[in-house]
Amino acid sequence: MFLSTWLIACLLAAYTLLHAYVWNVRRKYKHFPSMPVKFGFSWVAGGLSEIRRREKVLIDAGKSHQLFEILSHIAQENEWDILAAPIFAKVFLYVNDLDMVGQILTDRHSFHKSPIVYKMFTSIGGVRLLGKYGLLHDPGTEIWAKKRKVIDPAFHRNFLRTMMRKVNMTADNLVQNFTEEGAEGEAFDISDYFEEASFSTISGCGFDWSMDMIERHGKTIREAIREGLKVIQLGFSEPFTINLPFCRRSEKKALNETIQKIRHIIKGHLEYQIANMDGTEPNILSHITKANQVSEDLDIENLVDEYITFLLAGMEGTAITLSIATFYLSIYPAVRARVQAEVKQVLGSRTVVEFEDLNELRYLEMVIKETLRLKPPLRVTYRAVVRDGVYNKGRHLPNGSLLFIPTSVIHVDPRYWKDPLEFNPDRFAPSVKRMNYSFMPFSLGSRYCVGKNFAMVAMKVLLARMIQNFDLVNPNPDIKDIEVIGKVTTRPKDAVKMIMKARKCS
């Protein structure tokens, strides 16, 4: 009897202490609107039950159900720009206030990438993915700052000019593939071809891969990147269990075998390139090699991490955007006609896009930007507050807060965009002004995507050559939009099929 009474007393004391600790955390956010929390024993869990309920509704409806999307629905229902979501002793802040968004993205010393979220890119279940100090996911250490300073010049104007020959070669191959695949007049999935072209561009231009190496290893590495992203997706879906040794064993075993294979290929290429780098034109590889020397903590494995990071980022986002832009061009004939007219005026019968042509392809760039607005490859940006005394408009942002910036929601918010769901490239005309921080497909501030100009050049060349050589016919003209899925990068839910009808370059 005494023992049971003592046990009950200990449990009550523990619960009381836990309750007090959680209350002390949440009171720091009382100045922000908060999602509903039930009182009683489940109070400690915070908004978890409401999140689970809404998640089930979205799953049953066949819709995407990421946490930021659930918080977005709650915020929009209540017309809140900021929403506090307490879950146990952690409070997540959903932020759709552009002034605060700007502060978060531009103040590198107060806001870092969240290690809670981005650790998924480091390793999963003991399998090394992109390592600890990758340019993409390093929270914001001094090593990151030094590396970024070295890598930034890799994408200057001179490098972009030198990459044109190889991008045009990739465009030639893409046109040839589309010609052969579309010869019978049947619809086919264009996504794999754009993925292959994007990979060829980043590997050939950035890392000096030969066409022979791309043919021998390109497919293996593209498949490995896809498999790696799938497991990272699982990590976002199952953050508390993915690293347990008995969970997802088959997936992690397959991932380990795949990752080891591509790390072996890349390490061999690195060693050869480094040994023969003297006298060659600077490229992405030469800059990340130099960046890897900024700290004694970095070794050859870190260099492999960065190499894979650039291949992944350069391939995935570019390929997705190209597929979706092609879809939009197929269902908006007036837009397509304007792009065709612009390409004809700029290129004429030439089959090579020169560097100077890029600035003249203005409307095509507007089409790409409108595609990125409606379907950004990264739908949400995560940050964490890393110091005390951070305020916005008098509102305190407690140290340790995890912040969600919903890029895909901001991009279609009617407060920032007129007719936000309409595909209208003219909203990106030079004369049209837009609100600061309302468009950020490549992020903004010090952590903006270092390869954004590289990606834009590649997309303009590949789309211009496609439009020059083919008329696009959508086999499903009744479908006016494209559904995307994904927790890391977003991609079309279904195959993007197209009929390519050859046209003369004149």
Side-chain angles (χ1 to χ4, degrees):
M1 181 68 179
F2 170 77
L3 184 61
S4 60
T5 302
W6 179 83
L7 181 60
I8 291 171
C10 287
L11 289 173
L12 286 174
Y15 179 76
T16 301
L17 288 173
L18 175 62
H19 195 284
Y21 174 71
V22 171
W23 177 84
N24 185 56
V25 170
R26 293 182 190 172
R27 71 179 179 84
K28 300 174 185 177
Y29 299 86
K30 62 183 180 179
H31 49 290
F32 293 117
S34 179
M35 64 183 301
V37 175
K38 293 182 179 180
F39 289 96
F41 187 78
S42 63
W43 178 86
V44 172
L48 190 60
S49 61
E50 177 66 11
I51 289 170
R52 292 300 187 198
R53 183 187 71 79
R54 288 176 177 262
E55 181 181 49
K56 185 178 184 303
V57 171
L58 291 172
I59 291 172
D60 291 344
K63 296 183 178 180
S64 183
H65 51 278
Q66 292 190 57
L67 177 57
F68 89 90
E69 292 171 308
I70 294 170
L71 299 183
S72 172
H73 291 156
I74 297 173
Q76 289 173 341
E77 288 169 7
N78 293 278
E79 298 183 349
W80 293 333
D81 291 332
I82 302 173
L83 169 65
I87 301 177
F88 291 103
K90 196 71 180 175
V91 178
F92 301 87
L93 279 179
Y94 167 93
V95 181
N96 185 4
D97 176 290
L98 294 189
D99 182 74
M100 187 179 289
V101 167
Q103 179 181 353
I104 293 167
L105 294 179
T106 57
D107 185 353
R108 183 176 71 83
H109 300 289
S110 300
F111 304 93
H112 285 184
K113 285 199 169 183
S114 168
I116 295 176
V117 175
Y118 289 96
K119 69 179 181 180
M120 300 298 176
F121 293 93
T122 303
S123 64
I124 288 183
V127 180
R128 181 172 183 151
L129 298 178
L130 302 180
K132 182 178 179 181
Y133 296 110
L135 200 66
L136 172 69
H137 55 281
D138 183 310
T141 63
E142 285 306 309
I143 288 179
W144 172 86
K146 291 177 181 178
K147 286 173 67 176
R148 180 64 186 248
K149 187 175 181 180
V150 174
I151 290 174
D152 273 348
F155 297 92
H156 57 57
R157 185 179 178 86
N158 288 340
F159 166 69
L160 297 178
R161 184 185 294 276
T162 62
M163 69 180 264
M164 294 301 293
R165 181 180 65 84
K166 290 186 177 181
V167 179
N168 275 289
M169 290 173 59
T170 299
D172 289 339
N173 290 336
L174 181 68
V175 169
Q176 181 64 29
N177 288 335
F178 282 167
T179 300
E180 293 173 359
E181 189 69 46
E184 301 298 323
E186 300 291 329
F188 62 94
D189 186 1
I190 60 176
S191 303
D192 286 344
Y193 291 107
F194 278 132
E195 184 182 275
E196 180 183 349
S198 300
F199 179 83
S200 297
T201 301
I202 184 65
S203 60
C205 298
F207 299 96
D208 204 26
W209 281 37
S210 65
M211 292 304 296
D212 177 65
M213 186 173 180
I214 291 172
E215 289 177 5
R216 284 189 291 117
H217 299 305
K219 185 176 181 181
T220 299
I221 293 182
R222 295 200 314 272
E223 290 176 350
I225 288 173
R226 283 200 299 267
E227 290 304 310
L229 284 171
K230 286 180 183 177
V231 179
I232 294 174
Q233 301 263 26
L234 288 175
F236 277 88
S237 300
E238 306 168 13
F240 303 110
T241 60
I242 191 68
N243 285 305
L244 297 176
F246 51 82
C247 289
R248 299 286 185 178
R249 294 175 64 180
S250 61
E251 288 90 343
K252 287 185 284 190
K253 180 181 178 182
L255 175 66
N256 186 47
E257 293 172 354
T258 302
I259 290 295
Q260 293 308 316
K261 184 186 299 183
I262 68 169
R263 291 187 78 90
H264 175 74
I265 294 171
I266 287 173
K267 190 180 292 186
H269 184 248
L270 269 172
E271 291 170 348
Y272 172 80
Q273 289 292 92
I274 291 172
N276 296 277
M277 195 171 284
D278 291 343
T280 60
E281 287 288 334
N283 56 18
I284 297 173
L285 176 58
S286 62
H287 282 82
I288 66 171
T289 301
K290 185 178 178 182
N292 209 55
Q293 299 168 0
V294 301
S295 171
E296 294 180 356
D297 293 333
L298 304 177
D299 56 19
I300 186 67
E301 294 299 330
N302 296 104
L303 190 53
V304 175
D305 296 335
E306 214 67 89
Y307 196 130
I308 296 175
T309 297
F310 274 92
L311 289 179
L312 183 156
M315 179 189 86
E316 185 74 1
T318 303
I320 291 167
T321 303
L322 287 168
S323 294
I324 298 175
T326 303
F327 169 83
Y328 283 132
L329 286 168
S330 74
I331 62 172
Y332 290 99
V335 173
R336 183 171 69 250
R338 284 182 64 180
V339 173
Q340 287 174 335
E342 180 178 76
V343 169
K344 182 178 180 180
Q345 179 182 357
V346 174
L347 298 184
S349 60
R350 284 189 289 120
T351 58
V352 172
V353 181
E354 303 291 351
F355 186 73
E356 289 73 21
D357 295 329
L358 297 174
N359 286 336
E360 303 304 314
L361 295 170
R362 298 185 184 92
Y363 188 69
L364 177 58
E365 181 170 326
M366 290 157 59
V367 168
I368 294 170
K369 287 181 176 179
E370 180 68 343
T371 301
L372 289 167
R373 182 186 71 84
L374 287 170
K375 299 292 186 287
L378 296 176
R379 301 170 66 196
V380 60
T381 295
Y382 303 94
R383 292 290 187 271
V385 182
V386 294
R387 67 178 183 87
D388 295 318
V390 179
Y391 289 84
N392 177 273
K393 297 178 182 176
R395 300 170 295 192
H396 181 225
L397 294 169
N399 193 353
S401 300
L402 180 62
L403 312 171
F404 291 17
I405 300 175
T407 304
S408 59
V409 175
I410 292 172
H411 279 192
V412 294
D413 193 314
R415 294 173 300 172
Y416 316 139
W417 305 91
K418 183 180 179 181
D419 301 321
L421 300 181
E422 177 185 330
F423 184 81
N424 177 18
D426 284 316
R427 69 177 83 244
F428 287 98
S431 59
V432 177
K433 293 183 178 180
R434 60 178 180 271
M435 298 180 69
N436 290 335
Y437 309 108
S438 61
F439 180 66
M440 46 186 171
F442 298 104
S443 191
L444 294 167
S446 62
R447 299 304 296 258
Y448 77 90
C449 174
V450 68
K452 69 174 186 176
N453 292 331
F454 177 94
M456 186 61 75
V457 168
M459 288 190 287
K460 289 173 83 168
V461 173
L462 294 173
L463 286 175
R465 291 295 311 284
M466 179 192 71
I467 284 293
Q468 182 187 46
N469 286 273
F470 303 99
D471 280 319
L472 309 176
V473 180
N474 191 321
N476 300 300
D478 293 335
I479 299 177
K480 296 300 182 184
D481 204 356
I482 196 164
E483 186 176 354
V484 294
I485 57 173
K487 289 184 170 63
V488 183
T489 56
T490 53
R491 54 175 48 245
K493 180 180 179 182
D494 302 309
V496 183
K497 293 192 174 183
M498 202 64 53
I499 298 172
M500 296 277 186
K501 292 187 175 181
R503 61 198 303 263
K504 292 182 180 180
C505 301
S506 58

Coordinates of all heavy atoms in Angstrom, one line a residue, residues 12 125 130 234 262 446:
L12 N 2.5 11.9 -9.9 CA 1.9 13.2 -9.8 C 2.9 14.4 -9.8 O 2.7 15.4 -10.4 CB 0.9 13.3 -8.6 CG -0.4 12.5 -8.7 CD1 -1.1 12.5 -7.4 CD2 -1.3 13.1 -9.8
G125 N 19.6 6.8 -40.1 CA 19.9 5.5 -39.7 C 21.3 5.0 -39.8 O 21.7 3.9 -40.1
L130 N 24.5 13.8 -46.8 CA 25.2 15.0 -47.2 C 26.1 15.6 -46.2 O 26.6 16.7 -46.3 CB 24.2 16.1 -47.6 CG 23.2 15.7 -48.8 CD1 22.3 16.8 -49.1 CD2 24.0 15.2 -50.0
L234 N 10.8 10.0 -46.0 CA 10.4 9.2 -44.8 C 10.8 9.8 -43.5 O 10.1 9.8 -42.5 CB 10.9 7.8 -45.0 CG 10.3 6.9 -46.0 CD1 11.1 5.6 -46.1 CD2 8.8 6.6 -45.7
I262 N 27.5 5.6 -55.3 CA 27.7 6.9 -55.9 C 28.8 7.6 -55.2 O 29.6 8.4 -55.9 CB 26.4 7.7 -56.0 CG1 26.0 8.2 -54.6 CG2 25.3 7.0 -56.7 CD1 24.9 9.3 -54.7
S446 N 21.2 35.8 -47.0 CA 22.5 35.2 -47.2 C 22.4 33.7 -47.5 O 23.4 33.2 -48.1 CB 23.3 35.4 -45.9 OG 22.6 34.7 -44.8

